[in-house]
Amino acid sequence: MTESRFKDHLGRPIIAVTGMGVITSLGQGLSDNWSKLTSGKSGIHYIKRFDTEGMSTRIGGTVDFIAVPANNAVERSYALARETTIEALAQAGINGDFNGPLFLAAPPVEPEWHDRFALAERAPASTQPGDAYDRFLAAMREKPDPVFLEAVQFGSISERLSDKFGTRGLPVTLSTACASGATAIQLGVEAIRQGRTERALTVATDGSISPEAVIRFSLLSALSTQNDPPEKASKPFSKERDGFVIAEGAATLVLESLESAIARGAKVLGIIKGCGEKADHFHRTRSSPDGGPAIATIKAALADAGLSEEAIGYINAHGTSTPENDKMEYGAMLSVFGDRLKDAIPCSSNKSMIGHTLTAAGAVEAVFSIQTMLTGTLPPTINYTNPDPSIVLDVVPNTKREGSVSAVLSNSFGFGGQNASLVMTREPV
């Protein structure tokens, strides 16, 4: 009979994190990232992957130190996910086949401009010039291109990861905008809670910075245009913030039932205590100004964790550095935590240093949240020199802070009304 110490307040298996891996623009690996993050270093730089002449945004957190066989988002995203998974499995002490399900958060995939132009040129003359989709299909049928097909299939990243690491069952690929990484973790948590597996591999990756991506976000007025100097552009909760800085990265977390982890002698790094998610139907890209869905998401995560608002000692904010989203998130947190938000709950944004890693953000920030509890070091929010007077927060301004934290809330509020929050604890309280 399973001991009660392995069950949560609802009688479900407690979920332990036993392995973590991360890559951001700061570097490769948890040690390198954590050292630079807590030192207040920025990974934001001028984009060199492509020509940005004439673009309003010329900066980003591209990951250019991982070799990829081709210059496309799928290959980059796969390479980042592969490396973080290798690191996470090594830390978890898992060799050979993983033998559990894979839940992957990956960016939306489509051919980049040069690939579409090349396809159009290959299209048979008999096809109508105005019907691009039919022209692409005709070109592929006339001359199949397996390499191109692999590069534009949404599920190809998870299939390759599954083959490499020996996961079990059909790998799941999801994309819920900026909440994707947190959603992948939630799916892994639910799979273990429901008794379908004792362990789950949760991965989030995004290597999708391209000219088209930058232009699209620029057309939405979402990106910072404060290009000079690049490292000063992302300034969450500051008065002069003007948009997020697009970035790349990946993170992998090995999740296990606490009972399984203890039985095999694994080191428990932290506990995924609660997950919350709510949809926001206000607008295709903008969050509801009243913060209602975000408030409900935070409350749902706390309820799922069986913890009160008073238990949270630190918040890893979504903190994108956009005018609207920072204000909305502040209002949502204020509604839930009240006066404690100003006086007793430090609340910093990793995005001030690594930028917004989009699909990967929720998992990257979950890793940093657990690391905060493990080390007793709170990473700063850099570039905080001109506070927004309407946002009264302890953002751990500019310099790291030492302090014991036993419970963390990590928020991910994304485009399209996708909202997810995670509650993580140091011990299985």
Side-chain angles (χ1 to χ4, degrees):
M1 183 176 179
T2 301
E3 295 180 43
S4 59
R5 68 189 177 108
F6 296 131
K7 299 291 186 179
D8 69 7
H9 64 294
L10 295 177
R12 305 169 301 187
I14 294 173
I15 311 302
V17 178
T18 56
M20 301 189 296
V22 67
I23 288 175
T24 73
S25 55
L26 289 175
Q28 181 170 355
L30 182 55
S31 177
D32 192 27
N33 270 273
W34 188 245
S35 173
K36 292 176 180 176
L37 191 82
T38 54
S39 297
K41 296 186 182 299
S42 173
I44 308 307
H45 49 263
Y46 293 113
I47 295 172
K48 297 179 180 179
R49 181 178 297 158
F50 49 84
D51 186 6
T52 60
E53 182 68 29
M55 291 186 180
S56 57
T57 293
R58 304 187 302 278
I59 59 175
T62 55
V63 175
D64 300 318
F65 49 82
I66 300 292
V68 295
N71 187 28
N72 66 62
V74 167
E75 291 294 345
R76 285 194 298 272
S77 299
Y78 169 70
L80 300 180
R82 179 193 65 221
E83 295 303 308
T84 59
T85 302
I86 290 171
E87 180 183 20
L89 291 175
Q91 186 179 40
I94 296 176
N95 301 307
D97 287 350
F98 181 76
N99 197 29
L102 166 64
F103 299 98
L104 172 72
V109 173
E110 61 183 346
E112 296 188 18
W113 282 340
H114 58 85
D115 292 318
R116 290 201 288 267
F117 292 150
L119 267 179
E121 291 173 0
R122 283 171 43 198
S126 59
T127 57
Q128 296 297 317
D131 195 337
Y133 184 71
D134 286 344
R135 286 169 63 84
F136 290 165
L137 286 178
M140 290 299 292
R141 287 168 179 156
E142 185 173 273
K143 185 181 179 182
D145 186 344
V147 174
F148 172 77
L149 182 61
E150 176 81 3
V152 298
Q153 287 193 115
F154 183 61
S156 67
I157 300 173
S158 63
E159 289 174 359
R160 291 161 71 180
L161 291 173
S162 181
D163 289 342
K164 182 171 181 60
F165 297 108
T167 62
R168 189 183 72 220
L170 185 68
V172 173
T173 305
L174 63 98
S175 189
T176 53
C178 315
S180 300
T183 305
I185 292 170
Q186 182 177 7
L187 289 179
V189 166
E190 292 300 332
I192 298 171
R193 282 176 172 175
Q194 293 167 15
R196 294 188 280 122
T197 182
E198 290 186 340
R199 64 173 62 157
L201 192 60
T202 58
V203 187
T205 185
D206 201 309
S208 66
I209 294 182
S210 67
E212 189 166 355
V214 173
I215 289 171
R216 283 179 172 179
F217 280 117
S218 292
L219 290 172
L220 291 171
S221 299
L223 297 183
S224 173
T225 59
Q226 298 176 15
N227 298 290
D228 305 304
E231 62 272 13
K232 299 291 186 182
S234 183
K235 43 179 68 70
F237 307 115
S238 292
K239 185 176 181 179
E240 69 273 27
R241 68 190 186 277
D242 73 326
F244 74 81
V245 176
I246 192 170
E248 296 176 325
T252 298
L253 292 89
V254 176
L255 307 183
E256 299 184 59
S257 71
L258 180 62
E259 183 174 18
S260 172
I262 297 244
R264 71 179 187 87
K267 180 180 179 181
V268 174
L269 306 174
I271 303 294
I272 307 294
K273 189 67 174 172
C275 309
E277 63 170 343
K278 297 293 178 181
D280 185 343
H281 65 276
F282 175 73
H283 189 267
R284 288 182 65 186
T285 57
R286 295 171 57 201
S287 298
S288 179
D290 66 6
I295 293 168
T297 301
I298 295 171
K299 288 184 174 181
L302 290 168
D304 191 53
L307 297 178
S308 67
E309 294 84 352
E310 288 73 23
I312 300 299
Y314 170 73
I315 299 174
N316 190 315
H318 189 50
T320 59
S321 188
T322 58
E324 284 192 18
N325 196 270
D326 283 9
K327 185 176 181 180
M328 181 281 297
E329 184 177 13
Y330 168 67
M333 293 188 296
L334 184 64
S335 176
V336 175
F337 297 101
D339 290 339
R340 286 190 68 240
L341 188 64
K342 179 181 69 173
D343 302 322
I345 309 180
C347 176
S348 58
S349 171
N350 304 151
K351 294 182 179 72
S352 63
M353 292 168 280
I354 63 173
H356 192 345
T357 55
L358 303 174
T359 306
V364 168
E365 290 159 19
V367 167
F368 291 151
S369 296
I370 291 171
Q371 193 70 358
T372 296
M373 292 187 289
L374 282 172
T375 64
T377 301
L378 281 59
T381 301
I382 67 168
N383 302 324
Y384 192 74
T385 57
N386 189 11
D388 184 337
S390 68
I391 299 178
V392 184
L393 284 174
D394 173 8
V395 301
V396 192
N398 304 311
T399 305
K400 68 182 179 182
R401 184 184 304 161
E402 303 304 320
S404 177
V405 176
S406 58
V408 172
L409 171 73
S410 184
N411 291 327
S412 298
F413 303 138
F415 273 3
Q418 315 283 351
N419 300 302
S421 291
L422 301 174
V423 172
M424 290 158 279
T425 60
R426 195 170 52 208
E427 303 289 344
V429 293

